[in-house]
Amino acid sequence: MSARASTPKAARARARRGDHLAGASLGLAYVIALVATAGQLGLSRDESFYVTASEAYARWIAQLFAHPAAALTRQSIDAAFVQNHEHPVLMKLAFALSWLAHQKLQLGSDSLAFRLPGILAAGALVWLVCVFGARAFGRAVGVFAALALALMPRVFYHAHLDAFDVPIVCMVTLTTYAYWRALVSRRWAVMTGVCFGLALATKHNAWMLPGVFAVHFAFVAAGELRRRRRRRARRLSLAPWWLLTMLTLGPLIFVAHWPWLWHDTWPRIVAYAEFHLHHAYYNIEYFGVNYFWPPFPVSFPFVMTAITVPGTVLLLALLALCGRARALWPAGLAERLWPHGRLHADARCTDVLLLGSLLAPMVAIALPSTPIFGATKHWMPAYPFLALYAGLGFRQVWRASERWLARRHGAGAEPARPAGTRRALAGWLAGALLLAPSLVETAQSHPFGLSAYTPLAGGAPGAADLGMNRQFWGFTTGSVVPWLREHLPQGGAVWLNDTTWQAFEMLHRDGALPRSIGATADMASANYVLVHHELHFREVDYQAWVAFGTTRPAYVLTFEGVPIVSVYRGPWDRASRSEGAGAGDRPGAR
Amino acid sequence: MLARVRATGDRRGAGVRGRRWTLASLGRRSRRAWPLVLVVAVVEVGAAAWQAARVPAAADWERAASWVRSEHRAGDAIVAAPAWTDPLVRERLGDLIPISVAGMSDADGVARWWEVSIRGAADYRSPRTPPEAERRFGRVRVRRWTLAPNVVYDLTANIADARALLRTRGTEQPCRWVTGVRPMGGGLGRGPMAPPSRFACPALGSGAWIGRTVIEDLALEPRTCVLQRPSARGAVRVVYDDVPLGERLVVYAGLYSEDERMRDGAPVHVVVRVDGRVRADLVHRDGDGWARWVVPTDDGPSGATTEAHGRRGQIAIDVLSPNPERRSLCWAATVRSGPPREPPPPEPQGSEVRR
């Protein structure tokens, strides 16, 4: 080892490279896993809307390169970006670019081309969590946190999609990380503004970030001022440069990235904000009740987190949070109320930031005034911070395992320091064991991630007993495709229930379903009717009974024995079979 | 609550007598508990595997269905428990579960009650008495009870025998019974499906109809019933001219859930006439859900057996509302004789709004 390499600075640089290498490796592995499994997921409702929008944006991008002047007219911009103008376009532009690249490079299936940017964002998120954890608490914490996050069944599902939910988790985490670094670095203050702008350009979850940071900064400032009053050395600047850049660069990037806002800027920003502040209420089943109107039970995000995040990860996070509780108190209060303890808040009050970032998304959804959204994805930005605490919990278990191993190997009254090999072995074994439930539950959940519940709820059957939401977005039609292919060899018309026509069309584009099997809006004339089992779709079940004169589904798709999709066969199909006719020319089919 | 520290006069325990739990001892003492998380992880993996293994095999369902099928008789009802297994039971036995059974209001017309269940569940309507037969097929349990049906005539099932009309001042505009026509509707929020056999009522408006369908009631449960929407043009009437009158008429009525759940609609009146005489003016208000009424069909004491119970006569049901907008009233009525049974237990809560 050279003298240069052994300096603390070089060692730090080497450690940083190692952190990034570990994070990048995990991120890459995650991307590979997502790409390999994406084909098993049918397109969801929201994805299909973004596909339609992205194709419009792709046409505009192509026009921008071919005829820039024409593309930049208000008419062209509005014609393209009126599509799905209730959401900013950063990710949709990425989907569009991926789609354009796919047309040249054949990235796989059409759906994968649209999903690839979201999948890459998921990989980046894993990388980022690893690095965040490594910087804050050590590489072991970072690696465990990244894996714990990646292997949450619902995160794994959403990570596949051409949607904004995982990208905004990535952007919120990135902005939080940048802000955390900005507390001791002006360069990162600029990055904070840039990241915040990108987060705003991804999804409206970013709106809450300044508030979270402001509360946290109050903690930081109080500690620092107290320290200065005691004439101790300064640890960080109290000038909120991060806030300045967030308030300047953030809006600038937001407006600049979204051509829709280049005209009628203020009215369109107001309309965008109002859309989300007064969002339509979704139907959501919770403990057997279909909620469709506020107020929604405050417990919802907390209970759903408890029964959808693997229990071991939750327990690790909770224990770590308890163990680090002293670091959450303002310095003065901690010394008065909790005088004996080794743990102190660091200069940046990292624990306060992590806990605030963990709680804010959940509390925002829990507020009775918040519109009913109903999916775990809406507070998913909390999960990286939950995972980081789980990483801290893992470190504690590791250390405890080391001590236990040392005692077992006869080190006397005081535990001896384990040998390097034994230490590593303890870490790997503990990590593997603690992540095993996540791995098993995620593997079991695919491709029904939204139907998956942890053993705490009794799995999908237990959740069905409890009356919990079973799915949404109609993506499970993708899992019925093999059955439809088998039972409509000559084609026919399918009534789709919750699946959009664009999502169904993607099955054609991907080659999963022959074009002779079309969609129909007329239930009565369909060869087959799909019913996605969600509580508020029960009426569709009953409609099919009346339309077809039978209560007997031809097929029920299940997950862990729980019905996911019922398929009813129409009398027209029965008649056509008996006459040996094809269905390709029937009215209503397309 | 946390860990105990000994008060020995050292710095930590200064001034404290005996032993106590303190926050300060948490981190120090709880370290010993950390390895227990490894045990939790093992338990969680085991629980996930155990849950997967508890899922009934398809063969269990098939064997259970096969037994039910071999013993099934006309008039039997088959239900599933827990309720979410209903599609699985209907997949195998749906041809034995007609719409009238799938959407029944109570079990009073049922000769034998079959319950196909898993996970030890019981249907909320199943008798609390011991079953006359019970068999297990792997993880699927089948139980059977014999009941004493007391339904003399089912108005809902026999809607084809009725007349439907719009009654305005001094005039009656009849609806026409049509069969084999295209069912209309389908989709979330679209409401009850128009059946292929129904009364077409152009006098009530374009595409208006009266007929037997299945609605999703306020609790989102299926209810097989006659959809008879009120009209601003007059009283909408369904008339059964020559039917057994029994001792009483049991009427259930409710609205399609999306028309009722906001609790802001006008009340709906269901006026029951027997041989031209008004016997009841039942009022359904939003929030009532699938409501039940008992209407005596003779002048004797309720439940009394008189000669009149063997007589036949006319039953007419009028539906009216001061504001008929989104008033998708649907009723299910049966003529009954004999000792009345207990009303069915309340249906599970299915839809919620707090205003």
Side-chain angles (χ1 to χ4, degrees), chain A residues 145-494:
Chain A
L147 286 169
L149 177 68
L151 293 175
M152 291 179 186
R154 303 250 169 167
V155 171
F156 184 72
Y157 166 73
H158 287 289
H160 288 91
L161 310 186
D162 67 277
F164 318 137
D165 302 299
V166 165
I168 190 59
V169 177
C170 183
M171 289 301 179
V172 164
T173 311
L174 180 63
T175 311
T176 307
Y177 178 67
Y179 160 76
W180 180 70
R181 301 287 304 263
L183 293 171
V184 290
S185 158
R186 284 194 192 171
R187 187 166 62 90
W188 277 95
V190 177
M191 285 299 294
T192 307
V194 173
C195 294
F196 180 57
L198 295 175
L200 285 174
T202 302
K203 204 178 174 189
H204 57 278
N205 304 53
W207 297 350
M208 69 174 68
L209 284 174
V212 174
F213 296 167
V215 171
H216 170 258
F217 194 71
F219 269 78
V220 172
E224 185 65 18
L225 287 172
R226 187 168 181 278
R227 189 178 171 85
R228 288 183 192 180
R229 276 199 304 273
R230 296 183 171 191
R231 302 190 182 286
R232 292 187 191 165
R234 290 182 177 202
R235 295 188 297 186
L236 43 77
S237 165
L238 288 179
W241 298 113
W242 56 271
L243 183 61
L244 189 68
T245 61
M246 283 177 85
L247 293 179
T248 52
L249 294 178
L252 269 178
I253 291 170
F254 175 66
V255 173
H257 100 284
W258 195 353
W260 177 249
L261 299 183
W262 295 351
H263 303 282
D264 289 340
T265 305
W266 185 244
R268 287 181 176 183
I269 288 176
V270 170
Y272 163 62
E274 284 188 342
F275 176 85
H276 294 286
L277 291 173
H278 308 291
H279 196 277
Y281 303 115
Y282 294 140
N283 287 275
I284 196 78
E285 185 182 6
Y286 184 58
F287 286 112
V289 174
N290 181 55
Y291 287 90
F292 60 92
W293 196 259
F296 201 53
V298 170
S299 61
F300 183 72
F302 307 103
V303 170
M304 284 297 288
T305 297
I307 59 178
T308 58
V309 173
T312 303
V313 168
L314 269 183
L315 184 64
L316 284 171
L318 280 173
L319 288 175
L321 200 52
C322 290
R324 298 186 64 84
R326 193 169 187 271
L328 295 168
W329 294 81
L333 271 180
E335 285 168 15
R336 266 181 237 160
L337 299 176
W338 198 331
H340 311 297
R342 281 178 297 178
L343 194 63
H344 297 279
D346 61 334
R348 289 184 277 185
C349 296
T350 304
D351 282 279
V352 175
L353 179 63
L354 296 189
L355 182 63
S357 301
L358 165 58
L359 289 179
M362 303 177 85
V363 170
I365 291 294
L367 290 175
S369 55
T370 303
I372 292 176
F373 291 108
T376 50
K377 72 192 183 85
H378 293 113
W379 62 86
M380 214 157 55
Y383 288 176
F385 306 99
L386 184 76
L388 285 169
Y389 271 110
L392 284 164
F394 157 68
R395 190 172 68 182
Q396 292 293 96
V397 174
W398 183 3
R399 286 176 180 170
S401 307
E402 275 178 37
R403 284 192 295 272
W404 181 79
L405 275 177
R407 276 198 298 273
R408 270 187 68 85
H409 287 268
E414 284 298 311
R417 184 181 177 79
T421 312
R422 197 185 303 149
R423 184 174 188 277
L425 183 67
W428 281 105
L429 278 177
L433 203 52
L434 294 172
L435 286 169
S438 301
L439 183 64
V440 168
E441 287 163 32
T442 298
Q444 281 182 346
S445 74
H446 190 73
F448 299 103
L450 293 185
S451 310
Y453 289 84
T454 63
L456 190 62
D465 283 344
L466 291 171
M468 296 300 184
N469 173 265
R470 209 172 298 167
Q471 63 181 316
F472 55 87
W473 276 349
F475 71 98
T476 46
T477 294
S479 300
V480 182
V481 161
W483 190 91
L484 288 175
R485 288 180 74 115
E486 185 185 340
H487 288 81
L488 283 172
Q490 297 175 62
V494 182

Side-chain angles (χ1 to χ4, degrees), chain A residues 505-564:
Chain A
E505 169 65 15
M506 188 59 80
L507 295 170
H508 291 149
R509 290 170 66 171
D510 283 351
L513 200 64
R515 289 200 173 269
S516 59
I517 301 177
T520 176
D522 179 17
M523 180 187 280
S525 69
N527 295 79
Y528 288 103
V529 164
L530 307 184
V531 178
H532 295 98
H533 288 293
E534 254 188 278
L535 184 57
H536 70 287
F537 279 130
R538 277 192 181 178
E539 70 169 291
V540 179
D541 231 335
Y542 313 153
Q543 290 163 350
W545 298 354
V546 175
F548 297 162
T550 180
T551 66
R552 186 178 196 175
Y555 172 61
V556 180
L557 173 76
T558 61
F559 167 62
E560 294 182 354
V562 176
I564 301 296

